[in-house]
Amino acid sequence: MSYDVIIGLEVHVQLQTQTKVFCGCSTAFNPQAPNTQTCPTCLGLPGALPVLNKKAFELAVQTAMGLNCEIPLFTKWDRKQYFYPDLPKGYQISQYDLPFSRNGHLDIPPATDGDTPIRVRILRAHLEEDAGKNLHDESGRGAGSMIDLNRAGTPLVEIVTEPDLRNAMSARRFLEELRLLLVYLGVSDCNMQEGSLRCDANVNLHVHGPDGTKIPTPIVEVKNLNSFRFTEQAIEFEVARQWEQYQKTGQTIHDAPKVTRGFDPDRGMTYALREKEEAADYRYFPDPDLVPVTVTEEQLSLWRSRLVESPASRRERFRQEYGLSLYDAQVILDQGVLFADYFEQVASQTKDGKQAANWLTQEVQRVLNDRRWTLTEFPFPAPALGHLLSLVSTKKITGKSAKDVFNLLVEGDEPEVVTSETIDATIAERGLALVEDTGAIDMAIADVIGRNPKAVQDFRSGKQAAAGALIGQVMKAVKGADPQSVRERLLKQLEG
Amino acid sequence: MSLSAKDVEKVARLARLRLNETDIEQYAAQLSQILDYAAILEAVETEGVEPMVHAIELANVWREDEILTSLPRQQALQNSPAQDGKHFVVPQILDAS
């Protein structure tokens, strides 16, 4: 007997606003000062009224547009009622039947060149408020739980996928692509440590019956996964556990209700959460405190026009236009929008994507890491690097010299901003320009051959290594000669 | 429309209300009456009428994303039944972990 794994994800993303979604309190991550970013609205005090943060709505719409969702022209707010200590009002302001977006998709990029992307449909994305944070007494003395409401009211977009994922690794790769997209759109910092991106995974199996039918097993929701690796591990564990369970009990989706489980990263296992005796009943109803939001087609097309290019589109362009491998394209994309922009500026100037990619992923990244610089602090602007690389590809200087110039110009505590002129001046100063005067090179070769009969004889009797010493002498005599061309011309004279 | 004792028990449980037998009987009758009263609306012909989403015909009330002063912590905590000077304190939350 075999089975298919069926996975759907619910991802909660904190939007990068200054203030909360329905009040003016700061959204700064501030666990050192609990309960200092609250007001009557986010505390749920009587008489306080929520007012929608315009920026939160705009970021939410951009998120949905990045996920290729439809954006209806009308959306409204609903109350989701449940009691939990981190939810001061006794309900969460969320969206139920008319979310601001639906029916999108995000493609998981191919893992290697030649593979095809996997499409994951997005059922909906809606905007809601985050809850506060519960802090548990670690001493175990059971004094009680402590609540910090700084986070309560932070804008969240909940993204719900269709159950289109078929294994744990795809789930992780989907989340990585989603994270990249959100960071490129600039809608969230996606800081997992600070809980800016959290995931719930719905997992079950479709067991292949003997008569070709598919038997769905009960759905399990693994809650609050705060890392991509944990998500992958939790799903892997669930698949094995559910298969074992099915073989033992034969229970299908019709015999048992959906259950929720937690994940213990230390043991790499999921565990049962306390079951409620009945299915959750949130009694959603329209929030009378908030009026609906309407948008116009004009507004939507304006927002759409301002949307930055998606990583997926850039990845494809980097491969098509600049001839990069999937791997190189990904390495550059993973460094963020500024780095990808920098790459494109250099590559479009030099018309050699591969060379630009090699330089960026090796020299530039090494310096950025060593010096702990961000790209904005990096003293080598793209046009300057483009100029330097063009000198290499037009054989004005060697690749080795280019690296020397590069390293020289980024030295020091606060190096000056590099320009084409400073590059040219450094090359001139150091005599690094390649000598193109083939006559001078040939004369130097003839001279070196004349003065080194022993080495010449060694070479002619088959000792290839002897050529190295001769090349060295020629290079010394003609400063700035291209070693490749010296080698070719020397071999021609020796063999001729 | 008549609510059963079971319906009332469920609604009470969702609202975290503890009701005794007498309460349940009384509420079942009263809530049924309220529902019957509201059911008068069912007589209205609504064919072709757009559903109303909000009692006020208003949309797009925004605030700009600008930080306002939050409450001092002591004020935020002052009405709480229990606090430790920094946090709201609630009975131990039991997770199965």
Side-chain angles (χ1 to χ4, degrees):
Chain A
M1 240 188 322
S2 62
Y3 57 83
D4 295 321
V5 178
I6 311 294
I7 305 160
L9 300 177
E10 289 168 26
V11 186
H12 289 91
V13 182
Q14 281 184 356
L15 297 177
Q16 225 165 359
T17 52
Q18 295 296 308
T19 65
K20 296 185 180 182
V21 58
F22 298 117
C23 66
C25 291
S26 166
T27 53
F29 180 69
N30 193 6
Q32 283 76 39
N35 296 304
T36 55
Q37 293 159 205
T38 69
C39 72
T41 302
C42 57
L43 289 173
L45 299 186
L49 282 177
V51 184
L52 180 61
N53 180 339
K54 191 171 191 185
K55 174 88 176 177
F57 189 75
E58 287 179 8
L59 292 180
V61 171
Q62 284 174 35
T63 305
M65 285 179 167
L67 292 167
N68 309 293
C69 287
E70 297 162 13
I71 316 287
L73 300 180
F74 181 96
T75 188
K76 69 174 176 82
W77 308 96
D78 300 282
R79 293 183 177 182
K80 178 182 182 177
Q81 344 254 341
Y82 64 94
F83 290 106
Y84 209 66
D86 59 14
L87 190 73
K89 294 192 296 298
Y91 62 85
Q92 177 191 31
I93 303 174
S94 182
Q95 300 199 282
Y96 183 54
D97 54 337
L98 296 172
F100 77 89
S101 76
R102 51 174 41 143
N103 299 335
H105 64 262
L106 179 67
D107 291 342
I108 305 175
T112 51
D113 291 291
D115 269 9
T116 45
I118 302 167
R119 175 145 302 183
V120 177
R121 290 167 301 155
I122 306 292
L123 179 65
R124 60 186 276 165
H126 66 253
L127 183 57
E128 61 186 26
E129 55 178 348
D130 206 346
K133 202 163 170 48
N134 304 318
L135 307 153
H136 302 287
D137 183 10
E138 302 291 337
S139 73
R141 283 191 293 271
S145 295
M146 295 167 297
I147 313 294
D148 174 7
L149 295 180
N150 280 354
R151 195 177 72 179
T154 298
L156 281 186
V157 168
E158 177 173 332
I159 299 162
V160 184
T161 78
E162 295 279 3
D164 288 349
L165 293 153
R166 291 291 170 271
N167 57 62
M169 193 188 69
S170 312
R172 177 175 54 75
R173 299 198 56 238
F174 171 83
L175 291 170
E176 284 167 355
E177 182 70 2
L178 176 63
R179 181 180 185 281
L180 195 64
L181 173 70
L182 298 172
V183 170
Y184 268 64
L185 292 175
V187 296
S188 174
D189 64 13
C190 293
N191 186 325
M192 310 280 294
Q193 279 78 42
E194 296 179 4
S196 301
L197 204 156
R198 282 122 59 194
C199 174
D200 301 336
N202 286 286
V203 184
N204 78 335
L205 309 178
H206 283 181
V207 178
H208 299 172
D211 52 355
T213 54
K214 286 188 178 169
I215 309 156
T217 62
I219 295 175
V220 173
E221 180 176 9
V222 188
K223 302 234 21 131
N224 265 323
L225 297 158
N226 61 359
S227 102
F228 297 164
R229 196 165 51 87
F230 294 164
T231 305
E232 188 174 15
Q233 286 173 356
I235 294 170
E236 269 166 8
F237 180 84
E238 264 309 300
V239 169
R241 192 190 66 81
Q242 289 182 24
W243 177 233
E244 199 176 307
Q245 197 70 16
Y246 175 77
Q247 287 172 306
K248 228 185 279 173
T249 66
Q251 268 192 341
T252 74
I253 200 163
H254 308 296
D255 308 322
K258 174 172 161 174
V259 296
T260 50
R261 294 177 74 86
F263 179 66
D264 178 349
D266 295 331
R267 290 184 298 161
M269 291 165 70
T270 66
Y271 56 86
L273 291 171
R274 202 150 45 105
E275 294 287 331
K276 298 181 186 117
E277 61 256 49
E278 57 199 297
D281 183 348
Y282 294 119
R283 295 151 294 148
Y284 281 97
F285 74 87
D287 192 323
D289 287 348
L290 286 158
V291 296
V293 176
T294 59
V295 287
T296 60
E297 291 291 358
E298 293 73 44
Q299 207 164 14
L300 290 180
S301 45
L302 180 71
W303 282 343
R304 200 164 269 127
S305 70
R306 287 195 200 139
L307 216 58
V308 300
E309 188 181 11
S310 74
S313 154
R314 280 207 163 189
R315 185 183 292 114
E316 203 39 45
R317 243 168 14 77
F318 283 6
R319 296 170 71 192
Q320 302 288 337
E321 285 176 29
Y322 301 111
L324 296 196
S325 68
L326 192 59
Y327 179 83
D328 282 342
Q330 193 61 40
V331 170
I332 289 167
L333 286 171
D334 282 342
Q335 297 303 311
V337 183
L338 287 180
F339 200 80
D341 287 347
Y342 188 101
F343 164 77
E344 280 211 64
Q345 283 185 58
V346 175
S348 58
Q349 189 180 341
T350 61
K351 310 275 178 259
D352 187 346
K354 187 70 197 161
Q355 179 201 37
N358 286 342
W359 268 75
L360 258 75
T361 56
Q362 290 162 29
E363 306 307 314
V364 175
Q365 262 197 304
R366 176 178 52 76
V367 170
L368 292 179
N369 289 342
D370 287 355
R371 307 293 297 267
R372 293 168 188 270
W373 275 333
T374 63
L375 207 52
T376 35
E377 295 163 306
F378 184 54
F380 226 107
L385 188 65
H387 176 68
L388 183 65
L389 299 194
S390 296
L391 294 178
V392 178
S393 35
T394 53
K395 296 203 180 273
K396 299 285 194 307
I397 58 171
T398 64
K400 167 82 172 60
S401 301
K403 284 177 191 173
D404 291 344
V405 171
F406 176 81
N407 287 322
L408 201 68
L409 291 176
V410 296
E411 259 176 22
D413 282 344
E414 277 182 37
E416 279 179 39
V417 174
V418 179
T419 63
S420 300
E421 288 73 38
T422 45
I423 291 172
D424 291 344
T426 310
I427 290 168
E429 207 176 284
R430 309 245 152 184
L432 295 172
L434 284 179
V435 171
E436 283 171 281
D437 183 349
T438 50
I441 295 173
D442 284 341
M443 262 168 68
I445 290 173
D447 180 49
V448 168
I449 288 177
R451 286 192 285 110
N452 293 278
K454 172 89 171 62
V456 172
Q457 202 184 340
D458 284 351
F459 178 82
R460 290 199 169 128
S461 61
K463 266 181 80 179
Q464 293 284 328
L470 296 175
I471 292 168
Q473 289 194 40
V474 177
M475 296 291 294
K476 224 177 199 173
V478 195
K479 275 222 169 71
D482 175 13
Q484 189 57 38
S485 120
V486 168
R487 175 176 202 93
E488 280 163 19
R489 305 191 87 82
L490 175 78
L491 293 183
K492 215 162 127 200
Q493 286 201 32
L494 283 174
E495 282 155 8
Chain B
M1 180 167 181
S2 162
L3 279 184
S4 68
K6 219 176 137 193
D7 294 329
V8 177
E9 276 170 29
K10 184 184 170 188
V11 175
R13 193 162 53 244
L14 287 170
R16 302 294 188 272
L17 294 175
R18 197 177 289 132
L19 303 183
N20 62 34
E21 292 295 319
T22 333
D23 293 337
I24 291 172
E25 213 172 291
Q26 195 181 350
Y27 283 130
Q30 289 180 350
L31 290 170
S32 298
Q33 277 176 25
I34 293 169
L35 289 176
D36 286 341
Y37 181 65
I40 295 172
L41 289 171
E42 282 175 16
V44 179
E45 177 59 59
T46 56
E47 189 70 30
V49 179
E50 283 284 306
M52 186 179 75
V53 201
H54 205 283
I56 320 170
E57 283 196 38
L58 201 62
N60 301 348
V61 178
W62 313 103
R63 34 172 289 272
E64 295 303 317
D65 186 26
E66 285 159 10
I67 296 181
L68 300 175
T69 313
S70 291
L71 286 178
R73 183 194 277 148
Q74 270 328 105
Q75 271 188 40
L77 298 176
Q78 73 179 1
N79 294 330
S80 163
Q83 49 149 308
D84 64 3
K86 281 187 169 182
H87 307 91
F88 298 90
V89 176
V90 299
Q92 189 89 34
I93 300 168
L94 295 171
D95 266 347
S97 55

